[in-house]
Amino acid sequence: MLPAITPAIRLMPPARRALAALAALALAAAMVLSAPLSALALDTAKCTARPNGNTGSEVYGGSETRLTWEGQADADEPVAGLSITFPAGTTFSTDDARLTMLSGEKLMDRTTIDAQLASDGETFIATFDEPLPAGAYVRAEIYEVTFPTSGGEMPIKGTYTLEDGTTMPVEDITPIMVEGVSPVDQLSKALEESDWVKAWNSNKFLRLFFNPSIVVSSFPIVFQGFLMAVAIVAVAFPIAIPIGLCLSLMRMARLRLLRGIASLYVNVVRGTPLFLQIYIAFFGLPLAGIQIPSFPLGVVVLSMNSAAYLCEIFRAGIQSIPAGQTEAARSLGMNGAQTMIFVIIPQTVRRVIPTMTSEFILLYKDTSMLAAVGVMEVVMYAKTIVASTGSITPYIVAACFYLVITLPLAKVVGRLEHRLAGGRPRRKHRPGAAKPLQGTDSAGVTAYVTDALTSQPVIKNDTADAGR
Amino acid sequence: MKMKKWGVLAVSAAMVAALGLFGCSGGNDAKPADDKKAEEPKTEAPAEVTLMKDGTLTIVSSPDYPPFENLENGEIVGFEVDLFNAIADKMGLELEIVPLQFDAIIPAIAAGGQGDVGVSGFSVDPDRAKEIDFTESFYIDDQAVAVMDSSSITEDNAAEALNQADVIIAVQTGTTGETFAQENFPNATIQGYGNSTDCFAAMQSGNATAVCTNLAVVNRMLKDAYSDARVVLEIATGEEYAAVVSQDNPELTKQLNEAIKALKDDGTLEELTQKWF
């Protein structure tokens, strides 16, 4: 069908152009004879289409947009009508269309132009009730413009009519770049029109929370945010661990100053909301002349925050190791650092893994707060779609992206806790005795093992007695 | 053993979900007609306004938009607050203001339950009108772009200088300023913030080059808090401000329109405009 129509349309503009050229020539001749010269043109100041994607500046085919055209008439041209021709396959509506004349030094004074609006399929025709004053600046806004789904460069043509009835082409209209419709959007559109979705959406609750077409269209967009959130947490958490460990060692240090610094930091960070910390970092630091891009800054804020919590987790873990462990290690000739590295910390790690995983879950969820300062993560993308569609569905999609990570991890935490509490699975893996603790050999002492479940030290090697 | 437990769990979860859905759908089916069109659902009971709380007009607003509405000494004040106080008076209702982030207001009004009317400097827009109903407009405003005094962007080069890849324009998400910036400065990065005060804070702190929002707001912000910033571009978009009402509540829209018209006629609207702008 389309190819059949296209040639017909293609034929029209040249005909019109020829007519316009003829008219222009005639008029020019008349002008030369009569009075001052003029350039005779309605120059396009701008011609744009409103972005109609869920985010970003792109104009997509297949969904509605608004075309805004603005042009400046020559000083002696009283414009009486305007027509704008869209490329084949484009639909539009004359409803809601607005014609405005802008005047004043900065073009800040608006006058609505009363006009008769008509459409012949691909051309929007406005005939003004009264010709405008010569040299007017005109804006036309046309709603419900739908470009073809294939996208590409969309040439827009226009003509204008003067008071005396001459019609001339509007010059310099830059074509509008239209993005083709992605398969996802096509699917979303198809869903929107299918019967079961219509039936589903007739229920207000289902429409607002689980609109299938919005689920489909928001999925790839929110997914970008998901990648961002995962990237943030994947960088922030590994940074937070060593900082947290250092802080916990500082908190247990003999030196009062170190203890003071660490506990001040931990108490301040844990005692203030993360939201506030983000605001201070994002709006405060730049004021102090420190410019950091938002991704690294977000990572830094989150890892600094998480470090304070991890510090307390590690401290609790280390302090939960019975004093006998330290005493035994020291009595075997290890110095303080060796005791910490080879005896205490390995035991601590097993104990704190469940709590650390919980902290990871918290940190992952906290990335959502960066939305408030413009970091494009899950909630931020969901929010922009909610704002443009008025449906809560994108938030539900966003929730799924959090659950994808948090649910399996919560399961892991549960299992680890079960094992720590002396759960059964451990017995299966236990052939005879507990595994020897790694690293003890390098300390050059007797193999010294610990049952991770009970943290009761077990002397595995009988030669230990012999050594006494 | 384990399988059985899972089965029981799945079945009970499904039942709970089904119950929840039925509960909701039942509640909703009763109200709007079964038709897919939500535009004229209540034909059987015309002259009745549904309000969230009897005798109270609950408006939802994002109080970060001076002079339309903002927090001053812990109280929400502004042009629209005064206007809706007058409207509530006309309708014989009490006024209650519920604060909510701007981009959440239209969804909240469409979904219902949080308030009766969304009043937060909404520009009338046919796209928005698909989700909610607009009342009569009560103010007309334009768009403007502001930069810090230290910026190299001037009034003369603003149109081109703003449309550069290294320019970041702060906008409030969900506003007409956001779409305006996206449409007219496609090369720039359009950075969305939750409220307009954050946009200005971001510009001042150097996180953004410029702010694009409604002219009245830019003027007020520059006057009150950001004397070191200036307006480089004004665009007469002629946006009409109106309140938003759920499409399920056409009677309320009608009564609000009557009240707005009455206030226009008796000069109150003009008086308030004089007071705030």
Side-chain angles (χ1 to χ4, degrees), chain B residues 12-268:
Chain B
S12 52
M15 275 173 72
V16 168
L19 267 177
L21 291 188
F22 273 118
C24 291
S25 65
N28 276 307
D29 280 347
K31 262 208 250 157
D34 296 284
D35 211 312
K36 273 142 233 153
K37 280 192 178 164
E39 268 103 292
E40 53 257 289
K42 292 187 83 189
T43 36
E44 68 278 3
E48 200 178 310
V49 179
T50 330
L51 290 175
M52 213 175 66
K53 277 188 228 160
D54 279 339
T56 307
L57 183 67
T58 314
I59 67 173
V60 186
S61 188
S62 168
D64 54 40
Y65 218 52
F68 294 95
E69 53 268 313
N70 68 310
L71 278 172
E72 220 162 76
N73 304 324
E75 233 176 285
I76 303 179
V77 295
F79 168 71
E80 288 185 318
V81 177
D82 282 3
L83 177 68
F84 271 79
N85 264 316
I87 289 174
D89 272 356
K90 274 259 183 306
M91 293 170 74
L93 300 167
E94 288 285 310
L95 187 75
E96 195 182 311
I97 306 174
V98 177
L100 197 65
Q101 189 160 308
F102 182 79
D103 55 15
I105 296 176
I106 287 185
I109 293 296
Q114 300 220 44
D116 303 312
V117 195
V119 183
S120 207
F122 283 106
S123 308
V124 176
D125 179 305
D127 278 350
R128 283 177 175 162
K130 285 176 194 154
E131 292 144 30
I132 36 77
D133 285 341
F134 280 105
T135 62
E136 290 283 309
S137 66
F138 39 76
Y139 184 75
I140 296 180
D141 202 6
D142 302 313
Q143 293 289 332
V145 180
V147 298
M148 298 307 289
D149 276 340
S150 54
S151 168
S152 61
I153 298 171
T154 63
E155 282 187 39
D156 300 323
N157 68 6
E160 299 85 48
L162 285 168
N163 192 17
Q164 303 295 331
D166 58 344
V167 168
I168 299 172
I169 302 175
V171 296
Q172 186 177 10
T173 47
T175 58
T176 45
E178 181 182 27
T179 34
F180 180 85
Q182 285 171 340
E183 177 174 346
N184 290 283
F185 313 117
N187 295 336
T189 307
I190 312 299
Q191 182 88 266
Y193 290 89
N195 60 58
S196 64
T197 28
D198 283 356
C199 296
F200 282 90
M203 176 174 75
Q204 189 177 47
S205 66
N207 283 344
T209 324
V211 172
C212 177
T213 187
N214 288 81
L215 179 61
V217 178
V218 170
N219 284 342
R220 179 54 63 101
M221 282 289 201
L222 296 200
K223 198 170 136 226
D224 289 354
Y226 296 92
S227 50
D228 47 352
R230 60 197 153 83
V231 177
V232 287
L233 191 63
E234 291 178 18
I235 313 96
T237 49
E239 290 163 36
E240 297 174 5
Y241 279 27
V244 301
V245 187
S246 162
Q247 293 183 335
D248 294 340
N249 206 351
E251 189 56 32
L252 179 60
T253 315
K254 213 171 115 196
Q255 293 204 5
L256 286 172
N257 285 344
E258 279 162 18
I260 293 170
K261 197 167 176 311
L263 293 174
K264 266 182 196 164
D265 292 345
D266 70 9
T268 315

Side-chain angles (χ1 to χ4, degrees), chain A residues 22-35 37 40:
Chain A
L22 229 129
L25 256 170
L27 207 94
M31 283 288 198
V32 167
L33 288 176
S34 62
L37 273 163
L40 275 174

Side-chain angles (χ1 to χ4, degrees), chain A residues 334-412:
Chain A
M334 289 184 174
N335 62 24
Q338 283 172 331
T339 309
M340 202 37 110
I341 294 166
F342 299 119
V343 179
I344 306 296
I345 292 192
Q347 298 182 64
T348 309
V349 167
R350 312 186 74 153
R351 292 191 165 195
V352 299
I353 276 181
T355 359
M356 264 175 73
T357 318
S358 299
E359 173 57 27
F360 181 86
I361 293 176
L362 285 178
L363 186 66
Y364 175 60
K365 289 192 293 180
D366 283 346
T367 56
S368 62
M369 292 201 209
L370 292 171
V373 285
V375 175
M376 296 306 286
E377 50 67 66
V378 179
V379 171
M380 188 70 186
Y381 277 110
K383 225 164 66 168
T384 54
I385 313 174
V386 168
S388 65
T389 60
S391 169
I392 306 297
T393 311
Y395 286 149
I396 306 292
V397 174
C400 293
F401 277 113
Y402 284 104
L403 291 175
V404 159
I405 299 275
T406 54
L407 283 186
L409 275 182
K411 187 109 184 119
V412 169

